Amino acid sequence: MKLIFITTIIFILRMLWWRPIWAIVNPNNETANIVVYLRKPNDMGPRSWIAGVNCLEAFSELYFQRREQLTRSLNVVSVQAYNLTTPAAQIQLGYLKQLNEFIGQNYTDRKYYQLRVISDAKMYNESYLNRQGLVLADYYVIVLDNVTRLSNLLRRHMLHSISWNPGAKFLVLYHNANDRNRTEETAMEIFAEMQRASVARVALLYATSATKYSLLALRYYHESNCRELTALPFGQCNDGKLNPGAAAMKPMLHKYFNAFNAKNCTFHLCASILAPYVESDCIEGIEMKLIGFLKDRLKFKLNQTCSYDSRGVEDDFNEFSGLLGKLDKKSCDFIIGGFYPDNDVTEKFWVTDCYLQDRYTWFVKLANPRPIWLALCSIFDTSTWLSLIGMLFISWMFWYIFVTLLPEPRKSKDFSLTGINNLAVVICVSVNERPFCHASRMFFLALTLYGLNVSTTYASKLISVLTDPGLMHQLNSLPEVVAAGIPFGGSEESRDWFENEEDQWIFDNYNDSLDFQPTSTNLEAVRLGERVILSSRMYMLQNKIVDDLYAFQQNVFSSPVQMIMKPGFPFLFEFNLLIRRMRDFGILEKINDDFHYNNTYLNRIHRMRPDFTVTVTLRKNYKRKPIREMDRDVIAMELNCSITPVTSLVIAILLRTSDYYLALETSEACSSRNVRYRTDMGDHNPLNKQEQHIRKILKVLTDIMEQNLSVNPGNH
C-alpha cells in the first residue's frame, strides 16, 4: 500500500516538471484586488459590450414614455455597481458615457434628462440633501450579472435614497455567461425581487449570448391574471438592433401599458370607522361612496375591513402603529377614515389628491342654563341699566322743578310724590295726576313716549329670555380649560400639530389615551364636563350629542382628507385623475354641501321628534350650492300624515329663507296618511317676501289642522 502511494507521488511530480503552470501575475498592488475572468475571445471583445449598450439605448427610447405631460425634465437614475464581471462592467460604463454625451451635446431630436447616479461604493446617507427640494426619479437603468447584487442594491442603497420612486419605470440588463440557459428562471427571480420592493413596471434585457438579448417585461397587474407574477416576452435584440423593429415594437409596448389596469384585480381596503366618512356597517359613508365610485370606474374588486383602529404614528424604532402599521406590512393596499397625512406619513407613504377638507377644534361642556331671575337682569347690559337709572333720576329732578316753579296744585309738589309718579310713567303705569300748565304737559308727554319705548324694548326682549334664558359663562379658550383643571386631549396623530415652541405646553399636557378618543362614550364625559376633546367638526356634526357640546369658535387646524397607500401602488395616477375630474365637475363640493346643509338639518328634525321618519331624494341636477343659495330645486320629504301643527311649524322654521316658500300638497290618498312637503323657489315680489312667507306658513298650519279634524273629528 505504501509502495503504491509513493509511486503515485513520484508520477505527479514528474508530470509537473515536464509541463509548467502559467499564471497571471499582477505586480501593481493598487489593482491587485481586481477579479479577472477568462472568457472566450468573443465575450471579451468590444463587439459584445457595444451590442449591450446599443440594445439599452434602442429599447429605452421606446420604454421610457410617460402618460403625464410634465413641464420639467425627466429624471434618469443610473445605478452603478462595482466589481461587475466582463462584459457587464463595460456595458454599464458605456451606457453611462452615452447618457453624458446626450446631455452635454445639443441633440434636437432627443429628449433631455436629468442624470442621477447611485452606486454601491459606500452606504447612502440621505442627510446630504433636502428631501423637500428633490423630485422623485422617473426612470432607472440597472446593469447586473447576478440576482444577489440586485438584492444588495435595493436593500442597502436604492430604497434609502430620497429620490426613490417605486412607481418609476425600471430597465434592467442582465449579462452573465453562466446563466444564458436560465432565461425564465433568472427573469422570475429578478421580477420577484423587484415586486418585493413594490415595483410593478420592470423591463428586462436578458443576454442569451454575447450579442443577443431577450426582451421581457413584468406582468403583475393584468385583467386576465391579476396580481400573478408573469414574464411577458416582447422580442429580441440582436447586435444592438431590435427584432421586431422599433415600428413594430412600439404598438406592442402600447398594448402592454394599456393592459396594465386594475380590471378584475382585488385590492384590500382597511378603513377606520369614523362617521361620516366610514359608518359602522362598513358600507355607508362619504369615503366609502367615493371608493365605490372608483371601483365602478376602474372595474376592480374590493375586500374591505373596518375597525376602530386609529391612523397610527411612527415610534422611535421606525415602526408604525394602527392602520399605518398594517399598510407598512402590506396587509392593506390603501387605508381611509378621514385621515390627513402629515409630513411623517408623506415621507414613507403615498397619498392621493385632496377630495375633502375637515377642521379640528376643541369641544367642551356647554355652559349651564342661566336662571330666569338672572336672565331678567341680563336683558340689558350693565351700562344700559345705569343709563336708565340715571335718566330716571334726571327726569325726577326735572319733574320736581317743573311742578315747583309752575303754578301747579300744591298736592303735586311733594318731592317723594314726583319721584313715584316719574317712575310710574317710565314703566308705563297710569298715575292719577293731570298737569295744568302747557310746559308740564309737554314734559309729561315726552316722558310718556320715552317710557313706552323702554317698556316695549324690554317686553320684546323678555319674550326671548323666557323661552331661552341663555347660558352662564362659557369656556372658550384652552387656557380657561387649564385654569378650570379639566384634562384635554385627542387622537394620537393630532398631537404632533402642537410640537412647536408656541404650543409646547399643549404638547406636554396632551392626553392621547383611549379616554380622549372622539367616540360617543367619551363625548358623554365631555357633556358632563369631565374632559375636553379635540375632534373634527364633520364627525361632530353627525353626532346626536353635538347640540349639548360647545365648539371653540377658532379652529385649531384645517386638514385635507386623503387616501393613504403603500409606495409603489400602481394605480395612483388613475385614482388622482378621477378625483380631479370629480373636483372639477363639482361632485366633491356637492357631497360636502349635502352633508352640511341637508343631512345636518334633517338630523335635528329627527332629534326634535324621534318618530319623525324622513326620506330625502336629491336629483342629479342638484346644483353645487347650499340650500340658502340654490336657484331652483325640489327636495321631497315623505312624512307621516299624523303630523301635528307644532311639528309643521318646526319644519317651516328650519326650512325658511327669504327666497323660498313652503307649499303643502295633499293627495287624495289621505287614507294612507301620507303628506308631501316640498320647498320650491318661485318668482316673488322682493318687496313682500316676509309677508308672503308668513301668510303661506299660516295657510299650511290651517290646512293641516283642517285635515286632522276631518280625519279625526273627535281629536280636538
Side-chain angles (χ1 to χ4, degrees):
M1 194 70 183
K2 293 181 179 180
L3 180 62
I4 296 174
F5 178 76
I6 295 172
T7 306
T8 303
I9 295 297
I10 295 173
F11 178 78
I12 293 174
L13 292 176
R14 290 184 62 86
M15 293 294 295
L16 293 175
W17 179 264
W18 290 342
R19 294 185 179 183
I21 299 176
W22 295 93
I24 299 176
V25 180
N26 184 11
N28 191 352
N29 293 327
E30 294 181 358
T31 60
N33 294 326
I34 292 180
V35 179
V36 180
Y37 294 88
L38 299 180
R39 300 294 184 193
K40 296 180 180 179
N42 190 29
D43 294 347
M44 293 186 298
R47 181 168 175 263
S48 60
W49 63 266
I50 291 177
V53 172
N54 292 335
C55 286
L56 270 178
E57 170 61 22
F59 190 70
S60 63
E61 279 293 310
L62 300 177
Y63 183 66
F64 288 164
Q65 302 288 337
R66 290 187 66 91
R67 296 172 57 185
E68 304 93 333
Q69 298 294 330
L70 301 179
T71 57
R72 60 173 175 83
S73 300
L74 300 176
N75 298 281
V76 177
V77 177
S78 177
V79 181
Q80 299 293 306
Y82 279 77
N83 297 329
L84 285 175
T85 58
T86 303
Q90 284 81 4
I91 295 174
Q92 175 181 263
L93 181 60
Y95 187 72
L96 181 61
K97 289 181 178 180
Q98 197 174 61
L99 285 178
N100 283 280
E101 291 176 359
F102 292 152
I103 296 174
Q105 299 180 14
N106 187 13
Y107 288 94
T108 57
D109 58 338
R110 301 188 63 86
K111 299 178 181 178
Y112 286 94
Y113 300 100
Q114 292 182 357
L115 180 61
R116 302 174 184 174
V117 177
I118 294 179
S119 67
D120 58 356
K122 60 180 180 179
M123 293 297 295
Y124 183 81
N125 190 353
E126 63 179 6
S127 62
Y128 293 152
L129 296 175
N130 181 14
R131 180 182 296 271
Q132 300 296 330
L134 191 64
V135 180
L136 298 181
D138 298 308
Y139 308 122
Y140 285 85
V141 179
I142 308 175
V143 179
L144 300 172
D145 58 358
N146 60 75
V147 182
T148 306
R149 190 182 302 277
L150 174 63
S151 177
N152 177 68
L153 286 170
L154 287 172
R155 300 292 181 271
R156 297 186 179 182
H157 305 280
M158 298 176 63
L159 290 176
H160 299 287
S161 63
I162 59 179
S163 63
W164 165 250
N165 182 14
K169 291 183 179 179
F170 288 74
L171 181 56
V172 181
L173 186 143
Y174 188 89
H175 196 122
N176 191 328
N178 297 328
D179 296 337
R180 288 174 178 172
N181 297 325
R182 298 181 68 253
T183 303
E184 185 175 354
E185 295 83 353
T186 307
M188 293 302 295
E189 292 178 5
I190 293 175
F191 290 155
E193 192 68 34
M194 300 297 286
Q195 182 58 35
R196 280 191 285 270
S198 302
V199 177
R201 295 177 174 87
V202 186
L204 175 64
L205 295 174
Y206 193 92
T208 56
S209 68
T211 59
K212 186 177 180 180
Y213 293 85
S214 295
L215 306 180
L216 302 100
L218 170 62
R219 190 175 70 175
Y220 187 68
Y221 294 98
H222 193 271
E223 59 183 25
S224 60
N225 51 354
C226 186
R227 310 198 82 166
E228 293 182 8
L229 208 62
T230 307
L232 179 66
F234 273 104
Q236 295 179 348
C237 182
N238 298 325
D239 203 9
K241 297 181 180 180
L242 297 177
N243 184 21
M249 190 169 291
K250 189 173 183 179
M252 295 174 60
L253 284 174
H254 183 71
K255 182 179 179 181
Y256 164 72
F257 289 130
N258 287 339
F260 192 89
N261 54 52
K263 188 176 182 180
N264 297 330
C265 293
T266 301
F267 296 108
H268 301 279
L269 167 66
C270 296
S272 176
I273 299 176
L274 182 70
Y277 303 106
V278 180
E279 300 290 346
S280 57
D281 59 359
C282 205
I283 298 176
E284 299 295 330
I286 296 177
E287 284 190 287
M288 295 301 295
K289 295 297 183 183
L290 177 63
I291 290 294
F293 177 79
L294 297 177
K295 182 181 69 172
D296 294 339
R297 295 289 294 181
L298 298 179
K299 307 299 181 183
F300 63 84
K301 301 177 183 178
L302 197 65
N303 288 335
Q304 55 200 45
T305 58
C306 298
S307 63
Y308 287 95
D309 295 338
S310 62
R311 189 203 69 181
V313 295
E314 187 179 12
D315 57 16
D316 297 334
F317 302 98
N318 296 329
E319 297 289 338
F320 287 91
S321 60
L323 293 183
L324 287 179
K326 295 181 179 180
L327 188 62
D328 190 42
K329 296 176 182 178
K330 297 185 178 181
S331 300
C332 312
D333 291 308
F334 44 88
I335 61 175
I336 60 173
F339 298 142
Y340 60 91
D342 51 18
N343 295 333
D344 296 335
V345 174
T346 54
E347 289 180 1
K348 302 294 180 63
F349 300 94
W350 283 5
V351 296
T352 62
D353 284 358
C354 173
Y355 45 83
L356 287 175
Q357 186 180 17
D358 203 351
R359 292 164 295 277
Y360 285 72
T361 190
W362 298 100
F363 288 86
V364 300
K365 174 188 175 183
L366 190 65
N368 295 324
R370 183 187 301 159
I372 296 181
W373 64 269
L374 187 58
L376 294 176
C377 299
S378 302
I379 292 178
F380 293 144
D381 293 336
T382 304
S383 59
T384 305
W385 282 114
L386 293 177
S387 299
L388 291 176
I389 293 174
M391 188 63 186
L392 180 63
F393 179 77
I394 293 173
S395 60
W396 180 12
M397 293 296 103
F398 272 94
W399 189 309
Y400 178 74
I401 293 172
F402 273 112
V403 298
T404 303
L405 298 179
L406 296 176
E408 295 290 342
R410 183 178 297 273
K411 61 180 182 180
S412 302
K413 296 183 178 182
D414 185 69
F415 183 75
S416 59
L417 182 61
T418 56
I420 295 174
N421 293 337
N422 179 73
L423 178 61
V425 173
V426 170
I427 62 177
C428 292
V429 176
S430 62
V431 294
N432 188 17
E433 185 169 343
R434 179 175 179 273
F436 292 94
C437 300
H438 292 287
S440 301
R441 292 179 179 180
M442 295 297 297
F443 174 77
F444 181 80
L445 181 60
L447 188 61
T448 302
L449 294 177
Y450 168 75
L452 287 174
N453 189 17
V454 172
S455 60
T456 303
T457 304
Y458 187 84
S460 62
K461 294 289 185 181
L462 182 62
I463 296 175
S464 61
V465 167
L466 293 177
T467 56
D468 184 13
L471 303 173
M472 300 293 287
H473 175 68
Q474 177 66 59
L475 297 178
N476 196 28
S477 63
L478 206 56
E480 291 183 346
V481 173
V482 175
I486 304 176
F488 61 89
S491 58
E492 185 180 13
E493 54 267 19
S494 299
R495 184 181 182 183
D496 296 338
W497 290 93
F498 305 103
E499 195 174 4
N500 53 73
E501 296 181 359
E502 184 179 356
D503 300 326
Q504 189 63 37
W505 63 277
I506 302 178
F507 181 83
D508 297 335
N509 299 314
Y510 189 91
N511 295 278
D512 55 4
S513 61
L514 296 178
D515 294 336
F516 290 86
Q517 303 303 312
T519 61
S520 299
T521 304
N522 295 335
L523 292 179
E524 187 66 26
V526 175
R527 188 182 68 84
L528 298 176
E530 298 176 0
R531 66 196 68 153
V532 176
I533 289 182
L534 177 66
S535 179
S536 68
R537 290 187 180 270
M538 290 191 68
Y539 171 75
M540 297 300 298
L541 280 177
Q542 57 82 41
N543 199 290
K544 62 182 180 180
I545 204 175
V546 63
D547 290 336
D548 299 330
L549 303 179
Y550 177 78
F552 287 0
Q553 296 180 357
Q554 185 176 5
N555 296 323
V556 177
F557 55 87
S558 298
S559 62
V561 179
Q562 300 169 267
M563 273 183 273
I564 306 176
M565 52 195 62
K566 184 70 177 176
F569 184 74
F571 303 108
L572 177 63
F573 174 77
E574 286 78 3
F575 277 31
N576 287 336
L577 184 62
L578 291 176
I579 290 174
R580 292 165 191 167
R581 290 177 177 176
M582 293 175 68
R583 184 172 59 241
D584 294 340
F585 291 133
I587 299 177
L588 298 178
E589 184 181 358
K590 173 189 178 298
I591 293 174
N592 185 69
D593 290 343
D594 283 350
F595 173 77
H596 279 90
Y597 296 98
N598 295 349
N599 186 51
T600 306
Y601 293 155
L602 297 177
N603 285 344
R604 292 187 177 182
I605 296 175
H606 182 69
R607 286 194 295 271
M608 292 178 182
R609 184 179 178 187
D611 58 344
F612 179 74
T613 58
V614 179
T615 302
V616 181
T617 303
L618 295 180
R619 298 182 177 179
K620 292 183 179 179
N621 58 354
Y622 180 76
K623 300 193 71 175
R624 307 187 311 272
K625 295 181 181 179
I627 292 179
R628 295 180 182 273
E629 300 176 3
M630 287 193 304
D631 294 331
R632 293 182 180 273
D633 195 29
V634 175
I635 302 175
M637 297 183 296
E638 298 296 334
L639 311 178
N640 194 309
C641 189
S642 61
I643 188 170
T644 62
V646 176
T647 306
S648 65
L649 179 60
V650 170
I651 297 172
I653 293 174
L654 288 173
L655 296 179
R656 74 182 188 276
T657 60
S658 60
D659 296 330
Y660 295 88
Y661 66 88
L662 184 64
L664 175 67
E665 296 176 356
T666 56
S667 62
E668 296 179 357
C670 192
S671 57
S672 62
R673 305 177 66 82
N674 288 329
V675 175
R676 172 169 294 181
Y677 276 83
R678 191 177 73 173
T679 61
D680 191 1
M681 178 179 176
D683 297 327
H684 307 294
N685 184 4
L687 299 178
N688 298 321
K689 289 180 180 179
Q690 186 174 5
E691 181 181 357
Q692 293 178 7
H693 179 68
I694 295 175
R695 288 181 179 179
K696 291 185 180 295
I697 291 178
L698 294 177
K699 183 179 182 301
V700 168
L701 295 178
T702 304
D703 294 341
I704 292 177
M705 293 178 66
E706 292 177 358
Q707 184 67 29
N708 287 338
L709 290 176
S710 63
V711 175
N712 299 319
N715 185 10
H716 297 288

